[in-house]
């Protein structure tokens, strides 16, 4: 799909980060956008940014939707199609995601289940809902966002990331399986799986709120205790810090993850859309994603050893990521 003009795209998680950047660049390219998010104010800002740079005939619609709830997804689908007065679409970006549920043994099960539900079930429900509308077009693209954690299931040998990684592995496998099926049964619909490395987004800042814990600076003593335990187990300082000091450090780390990333959300969106234009089905975002992919494929047996991470650090990758 080399030209987005006159097309309609659905973007989940359009309120911030890569979702916002995708919506902006699609709109600027002449593509109408129906976006969803759980935070209406963020979507309204995205809509304003899109409309400021879009041609006059481009329509931007916003829809409140929690993609982990199938009923809400179906309502989003119906509202989006009504807003754009159509019975088909050309692009679906399953982008919405959240971080949490790192430890299967220690973390709260509700956090684990919600993280998995958003990152995996959201992709599944939205694909179920919108795929028939993609098939109804004369040419379409389904773009699912996985992660480097879709082929490397941790944040380092001493830092588990089980809910997110499990979901992103599922997204990768689902996308590759659909690639085969659609080539056989609906060859005009292409599939791409996106695997970003460290991209500058607000996912860490937003995840705490989406998981119902509020702002990072307002985390409960119980939540801070979990974080302290995780830091100590991973070999990082934290045992002697006060709860307020830990909250401040966590907040600063979340801001640093967004602002000091090697790839911005806008750069990531450009890589993704260039991949769609070129017909790619596998889109790696960032040098760290490229390096991790090569390293895991070359030595899967050592992928979870300390030496694996140290070697990548020595090569200049994973700066600040682990």
């Amino acid at each position: 799909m080399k030209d987005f003009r006159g097309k309609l795209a659905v973007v989940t998680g359009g309120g911030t980060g890569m979702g916002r950047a995708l919506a902006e660049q699609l709109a600027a390219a002449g593509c109408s956008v129906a976006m969803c998010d759980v935070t209406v104010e963020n979507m309204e800002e995205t809509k304003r940014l899109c409309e400021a740079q879009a041609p006059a005939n481009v329509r931007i619609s916003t829809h409140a939707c929690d993609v982990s709830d199938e009923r809400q997804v179906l309502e989003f689908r119906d509202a989006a199609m009504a807003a754009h007065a159509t019975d088909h679409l050309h692009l679906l970006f399953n982008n919405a995601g959240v971080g949490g549920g790192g430890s299967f043994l220690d973390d709260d099960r509700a956090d684990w289940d919600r993280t998995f539900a958003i990152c995996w079930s959201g992709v599944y429900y939205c694909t179920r809902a919108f795929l028939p509308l993609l098939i109804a077009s004369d040419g379409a693209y389904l773009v699912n966002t996985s992660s480097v954690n879709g082929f490397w299931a941790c944040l380092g040998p001493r830092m588990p990331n089980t809910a997110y990684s499990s979901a992103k592995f599922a997204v990768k496998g689902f996308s590759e399986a659909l690639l085969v099926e659609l080539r056989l049964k609906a060859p005009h619909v292409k599939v791409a799986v996106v695997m970003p490395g460290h991209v500058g987004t607000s996912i860490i800042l937003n995840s705490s709120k989406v998981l119902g814990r509020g702002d990072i600076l307002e985390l409960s003593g119980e939540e801070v205790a979990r974080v302290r335990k995780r830091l100590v187990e991973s070999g990082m300082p934290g045992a002697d810090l006060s709860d307020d000091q830990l909250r401040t450090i966590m907040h600063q780390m979340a801001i640093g993850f967004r602002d000091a990333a090697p790839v911005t959300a806008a750069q990531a969106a450009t890589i993704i859309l260039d991949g769609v234009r070129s017909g790619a089905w596998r889109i790696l975002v960032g040098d760290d994603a490229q390096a991790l992919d090569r390293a895991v494929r070359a030595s899967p047996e050592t992928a979870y050893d300390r030496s694996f991470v140290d070697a990548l650090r020595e090569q200049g990758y994973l700066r600040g990521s682990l």
Side-chain angles (χ1 to χ4, degrees):
M1 187 178 293
K2 298 184 181 301
D3 191 350
F4 301 133
R5 286 178 298 178
K7 303 291 197 301
L8 172 61
V10 166
V11 179
T12 70
T16 58
M18 290 196 303
R20 171 177 287 178
L22 284 166
E24 285 189 76
Q25 292 183 29
L26 286 163
C31 183
S32 293
V33 177
M35 77 184 81
C36 78
D37 203 286
V38 292
T39 307
V40 173
E41 313 87 81
N42 291 344
M43 277 194 295
E44 290 304 319
E45 175 62 11
T46 302
K47 181 179 181 180
R48 184 189 68 78
L49 292 168
C50 288
E51 291 178 341
Q53 52 196 311
N57 61 337
V58 167
R59 177 172 176 76
I60 309 297
S61 66
T62 60
H63 308 268
C65 175
D66 179 345
V67 296
S68 70
D69 182 332
E70 188 171 18
R71 178 186 58 80
Q72 292 188 41
V73 168
L74 294 174
E75 290 174 353
F76 166 42
R77 177 200 61 194
D78 294 344
M81 294 305 98
H84 294 266
T86 186
D87 61 359
H88 66 278
L89 72 147
H90 306 92
L91 295 147
L92 170 59
F93 294 88
N94 281 318
N95 165 79
V98 67
S103 172
F104 189 79
L105 299 177
D106 296 335
D107 281 348
D108 184 75
R109 176 170 176 173
D111 284 0
W112 205 102
D113 289 349
R114 179 140 177 78
T115 299
F116 188 81
I118 292 171
C119 293
W120 158 244
S121 298
V123 173
Y124 172 67
Y125 292 149
C126 287
T127 303
R128 278 281 186 197
F130 287 102
L131 185 56
L133 302 176
L134 293 172
I135 293 173
S137 73
D138 56 3
Y141 231 114
L142 167 62
V143 184
N144 294 330
T145 300
S146 178
S147 166
V148 293
N149 293 125
F151 55 76
W152 192 58
C154 67
L155 295 175
R158 300 180 68 179
M159 193 170 291
N161 194 26
T162 61
Y164 186 82
S165 295
S166 298
K168 294 304 185 179
F169 264 80
V171 170
K172 177 177 179 290
F174 176 61
S175 302
E176 294 185 14
L178 272 184
L179 172 75
V180 174
E181 182 168 10
L182 289 174
R183 282 179 176 176
L184 293 171
K185 299 182 179 180
H188 63 295
V189 181
K190 294 184 179 296
V191 179
V193 58
V194 177
M195 288 166 286
H198 182 185
V199 174
T201 72
S202 299
I203 186 171
I204 298 178
L205 288 166
N206 293 337
S207 293
S208 179
K209 299 173 185 177
V210 174
L211 294 176
R213 297 197 297 265
D215 188 90
I216 290 176
L217 293 172
E218 301 171 350
L219 289 179
S220 68
E222 182 181 355
E223 291 295 340
V224 173
R226 286 199 189 102
V227 172
R228 190 191 310 278
K229 182 174 185 289
R230 189 176 303 123
L231 290 175
V232 171
E233 288 176 347
S234 64
M236 299 172 68
D240 299 328
L241 297 175
S242 70
D243 284 3
D244 282 341
Q245 286 174 320
L246 266 181
R247 291 185 185 98
T248 299
I249 289 171
M250 290 162 58
H251 187 254
Q252 291 171 342
M253 290 175 64
I255 292 173
F257 181 90
R258 181 192 64 196
D259 296 345
V263 176
T264 67
Q267 290 169 332
T270 299
I271 292 169
I272 294 167
L273 294 180
D274 284 349
V276 171
R277 288 186 180 97
S278 70
W281 74 262
R282 194 170 189 268
I283 304 172
L284 296 172
V285 180
D287 290 344
D288 54 349
Q290 299 278 355
L292 265 170
D293 181 51
R294 289 193 301 269
V296 171
R297 287 171 178 272
S299 184
E301 288 289 340
T302 66
Y304 300 104
D305 296 346
R306 182 72 249 178
S307 59
F308 179 87
V309 173
D310 290 342
L312 286 169
R313 282 194 184 282
E314 288 173 8
Q315 297 171 45
Y317 301 111
L318 307 183
R319 296 187 303 276
S321 298
L322 306 174

